[in-house]
Amino acid sequence: MTNVIDGNALADQVFDGVADAVEEFQAEGVTPGLATVIMGEDPASQTYVNMKHKDCEQVGVNGIHVEVDGDASQAELLDTVADLNEREDVHAILVQTPLPDHVDEREVMSAIDPVKDADGFHPENVGRLVAGEARFKPCTPHGVQRMLAHAGVDMEGKDAVVVGRSNIVGKPLANLLLQKAEGGNATVTVCHSRTEDLAAKTRAADVVIAAAGVPEMITGEMLAEDAVVIDVGINRIDADNEKGYELVGDVEFESAEEKASVISPAPGGVGPMTRAMLQYNTVKATRLQTGIDATLP
């Protein structure tokens, strides 16, 4: 019988641990603070930020939201980040992407204090991760690692295929799975839009992680028997319902479930864990800045 990972239930466990850590900080007179910055009025970004602040309320983190006009200059956004870097009540900063076309995303991420970098995207934190000395693991890759561990998947010696090479998921996840550390020691192949015969690569893998942003691109025919399948994708496709659309992952769930020993659904899998690991990074950042040895979940 296929083990379908319940991302919501696992995320709730992490949220409970974060809430306990927040209480430990508050006993010492500190409330962890997460600042979110959004530039412009992208509806999806607004939805994501609202969800993050609901999570803050759930665990007791002080959610601080800053909006910058979409037509403002890059300098104004950088000034906003600089102000948050200096605020003692802000322990973690997240700048919601995508940013307007006239803004250099790399420059903005580089402006965040690396010790307050909730996403783990600052070049210093990326370098530390690649070197095997991660300060903050990016939220989605860390969530995937937690899901694999929760499902009892020992990655040591496994052949893993990561489909997707983004800086947010594919690249950092491949690095984490490679490392000589708990949750790592796998042999990792990274596939992408220029990969020839993708199905041959995925059929040879013990673990397939789909993070390409292409609806239902991985089917059961592309998997080995008893493969472990993690679906990172969330895609909107047209549907004959009230909304006019439905959300699907990068994996065709029904056919993949027939082959897989472990699988995560989408939605309801990686998404909740990404949000949970953001709260984890917030309390970890608070511990690093305050020296208060609160227990991390």
Side-chain angles (χ1 to χ4, degrees):
M1 183 176 178
T2 303
N3 176 8
V4 180
I5 302 173
D6 186 339
N8 287 303
L10 183 55
D12 283 342
Q13 293 179 22
V14 177
F15 284 135
D16 287 345
V18 169
D20 290 342
V22 169
E23 289 183 358
E24 293 181 45
F25 283 117
Q26 290 176 333
E28 300 292 334
V30 173
T31 296
L34 169 64
T36 57
V37 181
I38 191 166
M39 188 175 191
E41 298 181 356
D42 178 68
S45 293
Q46 295 282 356
T47 297
Y48 295 146
V49 167
N50 289 339
M51 293 171 69
K52 290 164 185 174
H53 281 274
K54 287 181 180 178
D55 296 336
C56 287
E57 293 178 8
Q58 177 179 338
V59 300
V61 165
N62 180 27
I64 301 153
H65 183 52
V66 180
E67 295 190 6
V68 180
D69 191 277
D71 294 325
S73 67
Q74 177 171 301
E76 184 174 335
L77 177 58
L78 291 173
D79 287 344
T80 299
V81 171
D83 290 342
L84 294 171
N85 284 339
E86 296 300 319
R87 284 180 56 169
E88 291 187 1
D89 63 331
V90 172
H91 302 97
I93 300 169
L94 180 147
V95 177
Q96 183 66 46
T97 56
L99 294 170
D101 291 341
H102 67 281
V103 175
D104 185 335
E105 184 175 312
R106 290 185 180 182
E107 188 169 345
V108 173
M109 297 305 167
S110 297
I112 299 171
D113 183 339
V115 184
K116 294 188 175 187
D117 175 26
D119 272 328
F121 296 157
H122 187 285
E124 178 182 318
N125 288 327
V126 173
R128 290 175 67 101
L129 184 146
V130 173
E133 300 174 357
R135 176 187 283 134
F136 302 113
K137 296 179 182 180
C139 301
T140 298
H142 193 184
V144 169
Q145 270 199 318
R146 288 285 186 105
M147 293 171 75
L148 289 167
H150 176 75
V153 179
D154 182 357
M155 292 303 298
E156 183 165 348
K158 295 288 192 302
D159 287 315
V161 165
V162 177
V163 184
R165 55 178 169 178
S166 71
N167 292 329
I168 296 173
V169 181
K171 290 179 184 177
L173 180 56
N175 269 291
L176 288 173
L177 297 179
L178 278 171
Q179 289 174 5
K180 188 183 289 187
E182 186 176 355
N185 289 311
T187 300
V188 182
T189 300
V190 179
C191 297
H192 46 78
S193 60
R194 299 296 185 269
T195 298
E196 294 186 4
D197 199 356
L198 174 62
K201 305 289 193 302
T202 55
R203 275 195 293 266
D206 303 305
V207 179
V208 175
I209 301 167
V214 179
E216 299 182 324
M217 69 177 299
I218 304 296
T219 66
E221 294 179 351
M222 299 171 65
L223 300 171
E225 198 69 41
D226 294 329
V228 174
V229 183
I230 302 294
D231 190 352
V232 178
I234 290 289
N235 310 284
R236 181 181 291 193
I237 63 172
D238 293 337
D240 185 17
N241 57 29
E242 288 186 7
K243 294 181 179 179
Y245 69 88
E246 64 178 336
L247 298 177
V248 299
D250 287 3
V251 175
E252 188 183 72
F253 186 83
E254 290 186 4
S255 64
E257 185 183 18
E258 292 179 2
K259 295 286 280 294
S261 60
V262 176
I263 192 169
S264 72
V270 175
M273 284 300 294
T274 297
R275 290 163 42 206
M277 301 326 295
L278 173 62
Q279 299 299 326
Y280 174 96
N281 280 351
T282 298
V283 292
K284 184 175 184 181
T286 306
R287 190 168 77 165
L288 290 172
Q289 291 162 58
T290 64
I292 298 171
D293 193 22
T295 304
L296 298 179

